[in-house]
Amino acid sequence: MCGFTGWIDWTADLTKQSIILEKMTGTLANRGPDASGTWISPHCALGHRRLSVIDPANGAQPMVRTSDDDTYVLVYNGELYNAPELKRELEGRGRRFTTTCDTEVLLVAYMEWGPSCVERFNGIFAFALWDVREEQLFIARDRLGVKPFFFARQLGRFIFGSEPKALLAHPEVKPEVGPEGLAEIFINGPARTPGVGVYRDISELLPGQCATVNRAGLHVSHYWKLQSRPHAENVEQTARTVGDLLKDTVERQLVSDVPLCTLLSGGLDSSALTTLAVNYYKETGQGTVHTFSVDYVDNDKHFKSHAFQPNADAPWIQRMTSHLGTVHHATVVDTPELVGALHEAMTARDMPGMADVDSSLLLFCREIKKEATVAISGEAADEIFGGYPWFHREDALNAGTFPWSLAAGMRAELLSQDVAAWIRPLEYIGDRYLDAVAEVPHLPGEDAQTRKMRQMSYLNITRFMPTLLDRKDRMSMAVGLEVRVPFCDHRLVEYVFNIPWEIKTAGDREKGILRKGLEDVLPHDVLYRKKSPYPKTHNPNYLNAVRTRLLDVINEGNSPLLPLINVKKIRQLAESESASSNLPWFGQLMSGPQLFAYLLQTDMWLRDYKVVIR
């Protein structure tokens, strides 16, 4: 994995602006700690930071290739998991290669097939490719949006990068936020509406989109969208297909020239991926798989089971590591570290995020990076297979809003009167929900229940899952760790999206068809363990720390946060007994303590980025 940036400018000679390019590229050093490169011409400037995974000795970027009197320059972030097949096909068509890296495969694929090459890719990617003769930039993002792509479109200028910080390093991109951005932060956050970059001038290339940039402007198109199709297979056939697809996906994603590991919580998803990895390593003689888990100091003392987090992970991790014989590494995070990393986590996202859910992952990834460069993670299985509680609760299914964010009314009350009147938070989130619902690709003749469950699946894949993929990308790449997410293979997502709900819940269990497809892979007790989300701290010291810090911010009286919030309401909430509530206001994990931490991150963001509200 890597980070890239650059810009097109038809009104200036960019060869005289190399210092700006170096500055923009430098902001992404954490994403690519192994190498740095730039390429610059009168109207195109490209910068790249590299994390070496395949063919470390070669594959430097920007990568330049010449064919038929034309020159092509590529900056790329991601992995193509079908690169070997593509390479063989391209060699059969007369193309020649000088490296073994997938970067060259992607570049040569474009030289051979043009923009339609993206339809052939299986992987996670974002890239920008400059055609020198045509003076045209081609950009694309993977189908599920695992890898990021932000851009700013201005008169005669197109600025882009892997993260907003790269764009903000350009003198023509200002850290300005308008009513839409504030609404995203205060009523939709830590989610983001697809395409919205929060900052006034910054947008996002959507998952499954590609575009060309030339003197005629920006032309964007979709090369992939979720589509609804009839499902003809029965339960047994469906379970076999799910199992086969997942096995193939995992094996493709185990290719690496650097140390690789898996993240293991002892739950269904991570246990399945780890078992498939262990089996493949045994079959191919690649040695022992290393596994990593995260927990918190004194969580065993303070954990209390509730609907959103029914059991602790530790015993199940021990169960799986003993069963598989992996080399296991347990990371234990303490409260001061967790609080201290809130600032770094905010910086990694360039905006407030999932508070300690982010900062704990960042700390976890930092420990993993000491032993490995690539990790396999079970992210996205719950969105795709319907594992979250809101898939199974009538109140959430019929809420008429995003089911992971049912506390919009409470959040709106935390805003100052002026800001609430300006951004109209409840109207904003209502409109975004209706926009999302209008996109759902229903089949003709679907009954009401089928339509409802297809809608829920679509919302989770296109609106909730991106929040977690953003989190995984930013926190891991902040420490130079590549995380792969097999459940985001587009073939698997396309197939499972069209499995009828009664088959998805085979055996009357959440993710029932996934469990059935893994019956020959996992021990029975692990296979049917009740879902538990990514672990968070239950230590009351964390609540006390973030509550005290937020009250300090309020009492100091000079924070840029204060004009935006209802200070009296938030003070009362922080001082009340309900501050420790386990009732989530976002997702499954963000409850009372995380609300205070989120507001702290918002204060940090406003100060550090010198955000201008207008």
Side-chain angles (χ1 to χ4, degrees):
M1 297 298 170
C2 306
F4 63 81
T5 188
W7 82 101
I8 306 297
D9 196 323
W10 307 113
T11 66
D13 181 357
L14 297 187
T15 61
K16 299 176 181 179
Q17 299 188 31
S18 59
I19 293 176
I20 295 174
L21 179 61
E22 292 286 354
K23 183 179 178 182
M24 294 170 67
T25 305
T27 65
L28 302 172
N30 288 341
R31 293 186 73 92
D34 296 331
S36 177
T38 59
W39 184 91
I40 197 162
S41 69
H43 298 299
C44 177
L46 301 173
H48 189 267
R49 294 289 314 201
R50 187 184 185 204
L51 175 65
S52 301
V53 173
I54 303 295
D55 194 3
N58 301 295
Q61 296 186 49
M63 182 174 280
V64 182
R65 293 291 182 271
T66 300
S67 176
D68 298 327
D69 298 322
D70 198 358
T71 299
Y72 304 86
V73 191
L74 171 68
V75 285
Y76 158 57
N77 168 31
E79 294 288 342
L80 292 186
Y81 302 127
N82 65 336
E85 298 99 306
L86 290 171
K87 186 175 183 179
R88 286 193 294 270
E89 183 177 357
L90 287 163
E91 286 176 331
R93 299 171 71 91
R95 297 289 181 174
R96 296 292 175 260
F97 292 83
T98 60
T99 75
T100 60
C101 68
D102 61 330
T103 305
E104 188 177 21
V105 173
L106 190 155
L107 179 51
V108 174
Y110 180 85
M111 293 163 63
E112 180 69 25
W113 295 305
S116 67
C117 66
V118 293
E119 299 170 16
R120 299 170 179 262
F121 295 158
N122 178 310
I124 54 178
F125 55 84
F127 66 87
L129 197 156
W130 177 247
D131 183 324
V132 173
R133 183 176 63 197
E134 299 296 323
E135 287 196 321
Q136 178 168 284
L137 187 74
F138 179 69
I139 61 176
R141 192 177 180 201
D142 66 73
R143 294 168 179 83
L144 276 302
V146 179
K147 293 289 103 182
F149 194 112
F150 294 92
F151 66 88
R153 185 184 182 188
Q154 302 175 348
L155 185 63
R157 189 182 294 120
F158 183 82
I159 306 167
F160 58 90
S162 296
E163 296 179 8
K165 58 175 59 69
L167 282 71
L168 291 168
H170 192 287
E172 296 301 326
V173 181
K174 309 298 183 184
E176 296 179 354
V177 174
E180 180 185 55
L182 285 183
E184 288 289 321
I185 294 295
F186 284 107
I187 200 70
N188 196 25
R192 276 189 301 109
T193 300
V196 176
V198 174
Y199 297 94
R200 183 187 292 275
D201 291 337
I202 296 180
S203 301
E204 177 188 41
L205 193 67
L206 293 177
Q209 278 189 339
C210 60
T212 56
V213 183
N214 53 34
R215 291 182 183 272
L218 172 68
H219 178 72
V220 181
S221 62
H222 280 275
Y223 69 91
W224 184 87
K225 287 183 179 181
L226 272 176
Q227 296 181 2
S228 294
R229 300 184 179 92
H231 185 83
E233 296 183 335
N234 62 27
V235 174
E236 297 296 332
Q237 293 168 328
T238 302
R240 280 197 299 272
T241 301
V242 167
D244 290 346
L245 278 170
L246 188 59
K247 181 176 183 291
D248 178 72
T249 296
V250 171
E251 291 179 358
R252 286 176 181 272
Q253 298 192 20
L254 290 172
V255 175
S256 175
D257 291 337
V258 294
L260 179 147
C261 68
T262 71
L263 310 187
L264 179 63
S265 70
L268 171 67
D269 312 325
S270 66
S271 296
L273 300 184
T274 300
T275 302
L276 291 170
V278 167
N279 293 344
Y280 183 71
Y281 268 40
K282 287 179 179 178
E283 292 170 8
T284 55
Q286 294 189 58
T288 304
V289 172
H290 287 242
T291 52
F292 288 79
S293 66
V294 64
D295 206 345
Y296 305 87
V297 170
D298 290 338
N299 243 20
D300 55 338
K301 298 178 184 177
H302 301 292
F303 177 82
K304 292 181 181 179
S305 176
H306 58 88
F308 293 94
Q309 201 149 19
N311 48 49
D313 287 334
W316 296 96
I317 294 168
Q318 178 61 43
R319 168 81 172 92
M320 283 306 299
T321 56
S322 298
H323 172 69
L324 295 173
T326 65
V327 178
H328 190 66
H329 310 257
T331 297
V332 181
V333 178
D334 203 355
T335 297
E337 298 174 274
L338 200 59
V339 176
L342 286 171
H343 185 276
E344 188 176 357
M346 179 279 295
T347 303
R349 276 200 195 241
D350 295 309
M351 61 192 67
M354 295 186 74
D356 54 281
V357 184
D358 277 2
S359 62
S360 62
L361 179 60
L362 188 149
L363 294 169
F364 182 31
C365 289
R366 179 166 286 138
E367 290 303 307
I368 297 169
K369 177 64 176 178
K370 295 175 181 177
E371 304 289 339
T373 304
V374 179
I376 302 291
S377 171
E379 211 75 65
D382 289 304
E383 292 88 341
I384 295 163
F385 286 94
Y388 291 120
W390 48 78
F391 276 92
H392 309 274
R393 291 170 38 194
E394 284 300 318
D395 62 333
L397 288 167
N398 298 316
T401 189
F402 298 115
W404 51 85
S405 189
L406 299 178
M410 179 276 289
R411 296 186 68 180
E413 292 175 356
L414 301 182
L415 293 170
S416 71
Q417 288 186 348
D418 289 345
V419 169
W422 189 35
I423 71 174
R424 303 173 68 90
L426 297 182
E427 182 177 318
Y428 182 86
I429 198 67
D431 288 345
R432 300 294 77 75
Y433 175 74
L434 292 177
D435 291 343
V437 169
E439 295 174 8
V440 181
H442 290 290
L443 284 176
E446 287 181 337
D447 60 38
Q449 179 66 10
T450 300
R451 287 179 64 86
K452 182 187 296 184
M453 298 318 299
R454 188 181 295 281
Q455 175 178 299
M456 180 64 83
S457 294
Y458 185 88
L459 293 178
N460 275 265
I461 292 170
T462 65
R463 296 308 193 272
F464 187 67
M465 192 167 79
T467 308
L468 302 186
L469 293 177
D470 278 357
R471 166 180 175 259
K472 189 72 79 173
D473 174 80
R474 304 305 190 279
M475 299 310 117
S476 61
M477 294 307 295
V479 298
L481 176 72
E482 174 186 326
V483 176
R484 298 175 179 175
V485 282
F487 284 106
C488 285
D489 183 283
H490 73 275
R491 301 167 304 158
L492 183 66
V493 174
E494 289 172 347
Y495 181 78
V496 176
F497 179 66
N498 286 295
I499 297 174
W501 185 246
E502 60 271 19
I503 297 180
K504 275 186 188 176
T505 53
D508 199 27
R509 282 297 305 271
E510 76 281 2
K511 298 194 288 191
I513 196 63
L514 177 59
R515 299 178 197 274
K516 190 169 182 61
L518 295 169
E519 284 180 343
D520 295 332
V521 175
L522 291 177
H524 186 272
D525 56 341
V526 176
L527 188 65
Y528 288 97
R529 177 192 173 191
K530 187 70 175 175
K531 173 182 168 49
S532 191
Y534 176 87
K536 72 174 184 179
T537 183
H538 298 273
N539 193 323
N541 290 340
Y542 178 74
L543 167 62
N544 293 333
V546 293
R547 174 167 54 188
T548 299
R549 287 196 179 198
L550 182 60
L551 287 171
D552 287 344
V553 167
I554 291 174
N555 292 332
E556 286 171 2
N558 60 357
S559 167
L561 176 66
L562 301 186
L564 307 177
I565 61 173
N566 184 331
V567 174
K568 181 179 178 181
K569 184 82 173 179
I570 291 173
R571 186 193 299 277
Q572 289 174 344
L573 187 60
E575 294 173 346
S576 71
E577 293 183 5
S578 62
S580 60
S581 168
N582 280 321
L583 184 63
W585 54 272
F586 184 88
Q588 296 181 92
L589 299 176
M590 299 191 71
S591 53
Q594 287 70 40
L595 176 60
F596 306 137
Y598 185 77
L599 291 171
L600 277 175
Q601 284 194 317
T602 305
D603 172 70
M604 297 169 186
W605 171 63
L606 293 167
R607 293 177 193 256
D608 285 13
Y609 283 70
K610 297 180 173 57
V611 174
V612 176
I613 309 295
R614 62 174 60 165

